[in-house]
């Protein structure tokens, strides 16, 4: 399996050279288009682009970008790549945009979109999308990209959800609640696995994956006015119940202590490839990655199910995704940003990465979304919940990440960690 992973990575490098050579070097690691093109704009991306660490995604985007730039002669795209520390990258980009030094066009994580809209650094994109295209978006997507003036300030091109992956040979039946997941994880250890893996380090993924356990109980982070209320009344009880659930998984050995340092979904793919994982909480996009990475007979052992709740009837999962926004004052560059969104990402990019579209029409347009797996993901979206689009959310997330580290490492009790998180969040809210 490791040989296949290494082979795939080498194939990615070779494909990059092959595609670039075929396109007369139109796509390099930091540029798309001729180096001496008269017009250019900067595009800041995550892993979703020509330099993706996923070999299939990288090759696919190299082809899409090559075709795109040939349809737009006279232009060059200067590529900028974000690191995996998404929270830090987004904060840095917001400050750059405020000072007029941001990229012309960039990927903006949906969970911080409210901050970018509130800072008035995004340019309207209404003239590039029809009313029908906007109306076809899921309601929470449409609401997220729309500003107080009714204009759209970004395009949310993919959404996702979290599920529980399991090796069927080791865990035959899908755990339906927290107790069953703990029991399955402990049983899997007897067969040589690590138990259940999840994000527990200091990054947004830790907060978002864990929130499903809070939301499944009906917990609320903020009230209708955006004020943090997660540490009050019934929300406090539900919050502590969800924290203690993760603490117990680690304390009991159902989850390894190393989860407290995991800050990347790729670690789960690597553990699956190495044969050390039997259970992990990951994103729907990882199903395609596992298929690309594992030998067919190994991939056939893996399946997924909804994240277990405290009871079988209490379920939730976080729905997120990425948007693109334009920061340039040059209308031509804003138009090119919209073209990148429409011609590369909203549709072709969804199909390439098997990332769920945000518009209903795209589910019928691409065969990849008619598979049993993607139809199952789409059905699970019924229990999906997006992060609140309020300015205080990033700080809530930051404090939950700190809290999780303190609790899983045993530095603080859940109660003390929650109180510290709430104190910091309320202070930050008062400064808004």
């Amino acid at each position: 399996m490791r040989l296949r992973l290494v082979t795939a990575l080498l194939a990615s490098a070779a494909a990059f050279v092959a595609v670039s050579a075929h396109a007369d070097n139109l796509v390099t690691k930091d540029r798309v288009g001729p180096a001496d093109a008269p017009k250019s704009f900067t595009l800041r991306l995550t892993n979703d682009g020509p330099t993706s660490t996923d070999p299939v995604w990288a090759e696919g985007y190299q082809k899409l970008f090559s075709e795109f730039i040939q349809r737009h002669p006279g232009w060059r795209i200067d590529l900028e790549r974000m690191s995996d520390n998404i929270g830090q990258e987004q904060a840095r980009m917001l400050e750059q945009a405020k000072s007029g030094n941001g990229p012309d066009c960039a990927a903006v994580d949906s969970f911080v979109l409210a901050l970018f809209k509130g800072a008035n650094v995004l340019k309207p994109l209404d003239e590039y999308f029809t009313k029908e295209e906007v109306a076809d978006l899921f309601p929470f997507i449409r609401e997220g990209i729309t500003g107080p003036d009714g204009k759209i300030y970004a395009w949310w091109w993919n959404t996702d959800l979290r599920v529980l992956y399991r090796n069927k040979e080791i865990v035959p039946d899908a755990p339906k609640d927290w107790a069953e997941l703990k029991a399955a994880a402990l049983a899997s250890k007897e067969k040589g696995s690590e138990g259940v893996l999840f994000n527990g380090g200091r990054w947004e993924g830790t907060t978002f994956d864990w929130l499903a356990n809070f939301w499944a109980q009906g917990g609320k982070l903020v009230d209708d006015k955006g004020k943090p209320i997660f540490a009050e009344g019934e929300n406090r009880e539900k919050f502590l119940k969800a924290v203690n659930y993760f603490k117990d998984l680690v304390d009991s050995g159902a989850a390894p202590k190393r989860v407290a340092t995991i800050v990347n979904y790729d670690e789960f793919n690597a553990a699956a490839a190495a044969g050390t994982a039997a259970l992990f909480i990951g994103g729907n996009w990882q199903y395609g990655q596992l298929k690309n990475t594992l030998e067919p007979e190994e991939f056939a052992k893996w399946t997924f199910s909804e994240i277990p709740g405290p009871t079988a009837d209490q379920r939730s999962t976080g729905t997120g995704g990425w948007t693109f926004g334009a920061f340039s004052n040059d209308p031509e560059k804003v138009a090119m940003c919209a073209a990148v969104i429409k011609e590369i990402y909203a549709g072709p990019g969804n199909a390439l990465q098997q990332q769920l579209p945000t518009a209903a029409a795209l589910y019928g347009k691409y065969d990849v979304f008619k598979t049993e797996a993607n139809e199952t993901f789409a059905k699970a979206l019924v229990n999906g919940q997006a992060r609140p689009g309020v300015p205080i959310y990033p700080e809530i997330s930051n404090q939950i990440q700190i809290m999780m580290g303190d609790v899983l490492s045993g530095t603080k009790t859940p109660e003390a960690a929650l109180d510290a998180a709430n104190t910091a969040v309320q202070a930050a809210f008062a400064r808004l």
Side-chain angles (χ1 to χ4, degrees), residues 302-419:
W302 284 88
T303 189
F304 61 89
S305 56
E306 290 190 72
I307 296 174
T311 69
D313 296 329
Q314 292 176 297
R315 297 287 178 87
S316 182
T317 184
T319 53
W322 280 88
T323 79
F324 271 102
F327 299 92
S328 177
N329 291 320
D330 183 341
E332 277 196 283
K333 293 182 178 181
V334 175
M336 282 297 286
C337 183
V340 165
I341 297 168
K342 299 193 74 167
E343 297 179 34
I344 296 179
Y345 286 95
N350 294 111
L352 169 63
Q353 297 185 232
Q354 295 193 38
Q355 292 193 349
L356 301 176
T358 55
L362 294 180
Y363 282 86
K365 184 176 180 179
Y366 295 95
D367 288 342
V368 68
F369 297 115
K370 300 174 184 174
T371 64
E372 181 179 351
N374 280 323
E375 287 183 348
T376 303
F377 284 132
K379 289 178 182 175
L381 281 172
V382 70
N383 291 320
Q385 184 158 336
R387 287 158 283 196
V390 295
I392 194 61
Y393 175 76
E395 183 57 22
I396 293 176
S397 173
N398 180 46
Q399 292 301 325
I400 288 176
Q401 295 163 35
I402 295 171
M403 176 204 70
M404 197 63 71
D406 289 339
V407 170
L408 296 184
S409 66
T411 305
K412 288 182 180 176
T413 65
E415 291 79 5
L418 171 57
D419 289 340

Side-chain angles (χ1 to χ4, degrees), residues 23-272:
D24 294 322
N25 294 321
L26 287 177
V27 182
T28 72
K29 290 188 176 181
D30 57 6
R31 169 175 55 78
V32 178
D36 59 352
K39 295 185 285 189
S40 66
F41 75 108
T42 54
L43 177 63
R44 190 172 297 180
L45 298 172
T46 61
N47 193 42
D48 306 328
T51 60
S52 173
T53 54
D54 183 294
V56 174
W57 293 2
E59 183 175 357
Y61 276 117
Q62 288 157 29
K63 183 174 186 295
L64 287 171
F65 270 89
S66 176
E67 294 171 347
F68 174 85
I69 208 65
Q70 292 179 72
R71 290 194 299 270
H72 298 273
W75 280 92
R76 183 186 75 242
I77 304 173
D78 293 322
L79 298 174
E80 299 176 352
R81 171 72 186 273
M82 298 181 198
S83 70
D84 290 335
N85 191 335
I86 297 302
Q88 187 179 77
E89 289 283 359
Q90 295 287 292
R92 180 171 70 97
M93 188 165 72
L94 179 57
E95 291 307 311
Q96 290 174 334
K98 286 180 178 176
S99 62
N101 297 315
D104 296 316
C105 180
V108 179
D109 202 329
S110 58
F111 85 94
V112 293
L113 183 58
L115 290 179
F116 282 77
K117 288 193 301 182
N120 297 316
V121 294
L122 295 168
K123 306 303 177 186
L125 297 174
D126 299 73
E127 65 180 288
Y128 306 105
F129 295 91
T130 67
K131 291 182 179 178
E132 290 76 17
E133 288 173 326
V134 175
D136 197 40
L137 296 170
F138 295 142
F140 77 93
I141 298 289
R142 192 164 56 245
E143 179 182 348
I145 63 174
T146 303
D149 58 1
K151 296 180 180 178
I152 60 171
Y153 285 91
W155 193 258
W156 196 329
W157 69 278
N158 70 13
T159 188
D160 51 34
L161 71 158
R162 275 66 181 162
V163 295
L164 176 67
Y165 285 91
R166 75 177 194 280
N167 183 319
K168 292 180 289 186
E169 279 197 343
I170 301 173
V171 184
D173 301 316
K176 294 186 291 294
D177 57 33
W178 291 354
E180 288 191 7
L181 175 57
K182 178 183 175 181
L186 289 171
S188 73
K189 288 189 65 179
E190 297 176 0
K191 299 178 181 178
S193 88
E194 292 187 275
V196 61
L197 301 177
F198 52 81
N199 284 299
R202 191 168 178 183
W203 81 303
E204 170 62 17
T206 290
T207 295
F208 199 29
D209 296 356
W210 169 82
L211 276 174
N213 301 294
F214 177 57
W215 286 333
Q217 304 171 68
K220 294 186 180 299
L221 292 174
V222 298
D223 64 16
D224 293 341
K225 297 181 179 179
K227 181 180 183 297
I229 56 171
F230 61 86
E232 300 175 5
E234 293 183 354
N235 288 318
R236 180 183 178 86
E237 296 176 18
K238 295 169 181 173
F239 197 99
L240 287 172
K241 187 175 179 179
V243 174
N244 277 305
Y245 164 52
F246 264 30
K247 181 177 185 298
D248 181 54
L249 288 176
V250 174
D251 290 349
S252 67
K257 293 186 183 299
R258 79 178 184 94
V259 296
T261 62
I262 294 179
V263 291
N264 194 319
Y265 292 100
D266 290 346
E267 290 204 33
F268 309 143
N269 295 341

